[in-house]
Amino acid sequence: MARRHDLLATSLPLAYAGCGEPAFAGDPLRGEARADVVVIGAGITGASAAFHLAEAGARVRLLEAERVGAGGSGRAFGQVVPYLRTEPARTVSDLGTEAGERLIATAAGTPALVAELVSRHAIACDLDASGLIFAAHSAGGSVVLRERRDVWAARGVALPLLDMEQTLAAIGGGSYRAALVEPRGLSLNPLAYARGLARAASAAGATLHERSRVVDMSSSHGGWRVETTEGRIACDTLVVAAGVAIGGILPELRRRILPFRVHEAATAPLSADALAGILPRQRALTDTRRLPSGVRRTGDGRLVVTLSGPAGGGRAGDLGGGLARLRALFPRLDVTAFAESWSGWVDLAPDQYPRLVEPRPGLFVGYGLSGRGLGLGTALGQALARRALGSRADETSFPGMAGRPPRWLPGSSLAVAAAAASIRRIDAWQARQADAPRLPTSNGPRP
Ligand SMILES: Cc1cc2nc3c(=O)[nH]c(=O)nc-3n(C[C@H](O)[C@H](O)[C@H](O)COP(=O)(O)OP(=O)(O)OC[C@H]3O[C@@H](n4cnc5c(N)ncnc54)[C@H](O)[C@@H]3O)c2cc1C
């Protein structure tokens, strides 16, 4: 069982922390306060909500248990993907044509939304707009990419499908048979982006309190009363953007997400010579395995690699497997150790759709970003702000509450580990098929 304090991890990757965006310095909430809207959680979703609320003129307080970006936002791999985890036809079938198309369009618009905010607020997050590469890890992966190209071509978006030689040139190594380039995708330093959004929210008039864990909330006189470790605040409207820790604040939503742990590692900054030819256009690489499989270059010359590792609590990620992956991709690269590694929790929704719900009047909650939160969390924060400012439920592009929650135990590490292990076995088996490239089997996803 992933315990609550495990889900609120504290140390942040040094690879991301030493960026141009300094750590935010928000004093804890002490004593009594009053606001129009209180936002709980200063990750990308909460910071985006606070910014959009403050920009619209609301008196906003943003409460963060630890530091800005302490959750998934400060630990992510760093790619902004313009689509959901499910393919468009499936989304439309699951959510209905109108709601499905609205959510697909919102996801497609997230790179532009992120780029606009980064540019408008001069957020120093090493944003790279040269696109993303999704490589085929198996014959089935090639089919997935071809279908994706065709789906988006029918929607007027051209995604170049590279053959083996072009893929080799685009990645600078490896033996993938094919790859799809997603020109709309971005990569960025996620912690710097979260900090920059918080700075923008503060500049727009929001008050941010770090080290202010919400321990209780109750409705009071038509509004809300929120209690933190050291203070209390009354407000008309409450927005909850607590990521994977949502069940700690709202137990009734605990079973709506499955905490899924993802592991990353980063090399020390490498010289230009060492990096020559590696991901030459700086595009972040993932492949078609179902579990996360990223490799990308950072602005200061590190390689960030997604590691295989337990999807529940417990052991660290597989550093040896990560190094083997780098060696297989780039045999010339002389890296014998990572400078650091870290992990974080993803709020995986059973159906992988993000949700915006109002479980009680005046309480708006976003969850279920399912590993797509850098872009979708930004959009969800904006949508939460609009709802808190009075827009109607049918005006948001995020679906509301799904049907009954699944029966599995909340946060059961056994259930998570078993599911992830069997997916990893399928990925590895596919990669071993006769017509698949030989790759280390320990990393890897459906991007
Ligand atoms: C290793 C890893 C790699 C990832 N890679 C990518 C990627 O490449 N692209 C992508 O789009 N997504 C990626 N994701 C997912 C992405 O990071 C998340 O979807 C996104 O950051 C979620 O943002 P959020 O603001 O909703 O939640 P969080 O960033 O988790 O923020 C929630 C905040 O709420 C605070 N909080 C919780 N409880 C309380 C409380 N009681 N009181 C006050 N504050 C509280 C937490 O401290 C936290 O700061 C990755 C995630 C991980 C872990």
Side-chain angles (χ1 to χ4, degrees):
M1 170 87 68
R3 287 182 310 238
R4 201 168 81 77
H5 67 267
D6 292 330
L7 300 177
L8 295 173
T10 48
S11 62
L12 285 166
L14 295 173
Y16 292 162
C19 62
E21 283 292 334
F24 206 90
D27 291 333
L29 175 72
R30 293 201 174 96
E32 298 274 345
R34 155 99 217 147
D36 297 332
V37 187
V38 166
V39 179
I40 302 175
I44 286 166
T45 307
S48 168
F51 165 70
H52 286 100
L53 282 160
E55 191 186 38
R59 285 182 307 153
V60 187
R61 299 265 182 153
L62 176 55
L63 304 177
E64 165 54 46
E66 305 282 346
R67 307 294 307 270
V68 169
S73 298
R75 298 155 195 283
F77 171 64
Q79 58 178 4
V80 180
V81 183
Y83 36 75
L84 302 160
R85 289 217 166 262
T86 47
E87 299 297 337
R90 167 83 189 277
T91 305
V92 166
S93 139
D94 287 347
L95 302 179
T97 305
E98 201 188 322
E101 291 294 353
R102 272 208 312 239
L103 188 59
I104 292 165
T106 295
T110 56
L113 174 65
V114 170
E116 191 276 325
L117 287 166
V118 167
S119 156
R120 181 150 51 113
H121 302 289
I123 300 176
C125 62
D126 287 331
L127 182 122
D128 188 292
S130 54
L132 305 170
I133 304 177
F134 298 121
H137 84 291
S138 66
S142 297
V143 174
V144 166
L145 295 183
R146 265 201 306 278
E147 285 174 359
R148 188 175 300 161
R149 179 207 44 194
D150 295 345
V151 162
W152 284 103
R155 290 168 171 264
V157 181
L159 305 182
L161 188 60
L162 310 183
D163 63 21
M164 190 169 185
E165 206 175 314
Q166 292 165 326
T167 300
L168 178 62
I171 296 172
S175 52
Y176 291 106
R177 295 277 163 115
L180 198 64
V181 174
E182 173 46 82
R184 297 169 296 176
L186 310 173
S187 49
L188 48 69
N189 174 332
L191 176 60
Y193 177 55
R195 285 177 177 174
L197 283 180
R199 175 171 57 75
S202 169
T207 304
L208 167 55
H209 299 285
E210 293 181 303
R211 299 188 185 91
S212 300
R213 183 182 309 267
V214 171
V215 291
D216 194 29
M217 44 187 255
S218 52
S219 51
S220 145
H221 302 104
W224 288 90
R225 197 167 166 74
V226 177
E227 201 173 315
T228 66
T229 32
E230 295 180 69
R232 277 167 301 282
I233 185 162
C235 61
D236 302 326
T237 309
L238 193 52
V239 168
V240 178
V244 79
I246 191 176
I249 306 177
L250 292 162
E252 69 266 39
L253 296 182
R254 194 184 292 276
R255 286 170 64 208
R256 298 285 172 174
I257 58 157
L258 182 60
F260 190 96
R261 193 161 164 226
V262 180
H263 306 262
E264 309 281 349
T267 67
L270 303 172
S271 68
D273 273 359
L275 286 171
I278 292 178
L279 297 169
R281 292 195 54 190
Q282 310 273 348
R283 290 170 173 152
L285 163 72
T286 46
D287 68 30
T288 47
R289 278 170 284 189
R290 287 161 183 79
L291 295 177
S293 63
V295 179
R296 76 175 182 93
R297 286 172 63 159
T298 62
D300 63 352
R302 297 168 202 264
L303 289 172
V304 174
V305 181
T306 306
L307 304 176
S308 174
R315 287 172 298 113
D318 176 9
L319 290 166
L323 286 171
R325 175 120 193 271
L326 277 185
R327 275 197 294 275
L329 278 171
F330 313 115
R332 220 174 41 79
L333 186 69
D334 185 21
V335 170
T336 53
F338 288 110
E340 64 170 329
S341 62
W342 65 90
S343 68
W345 295 91
V346 164
D347 56 335
L348 196 63
D351 58 8
Q352 311 202 61
Y353 296 119
R355 306 253 162 200
L356 194 171
V357 303
E358 186 182 7
R360 291 175 240 161
L363 167 64
F364 299 99
V365 188
Y367 64 89
L369 288 159
S370 303
R372 285 281 196 267
L374 303 191
L376 277 168
T378 311
L380 181 60
Q382 186 182 41
L384 283 161
R386 287 183 182 146
R387 287 287 280 126
L389 290 167
S391 78
R392 294 193 319 267
D394 61 3
E395 289 170 334
T396 176
S397 52
F398 288 90
M401 192 76 83
R404 292 165 68 82
R407 292 241 279 278
W408 31 255
L409 289 173
S412 161
S413 57
L414 277 181
V416 179
S422 68
I423 291 168
R424 193 170 291 119
R425 275 197 296 277
I426 294 169
D427 283 346
W429 176 79
Q430 287 179 332
R432 280 196 303 272
Q433 294 304 290
D435 60 346
R438 303 291 289 179
L439 291 170
T441 55
S442 54
N443 288 297
R446 180 63 45 87

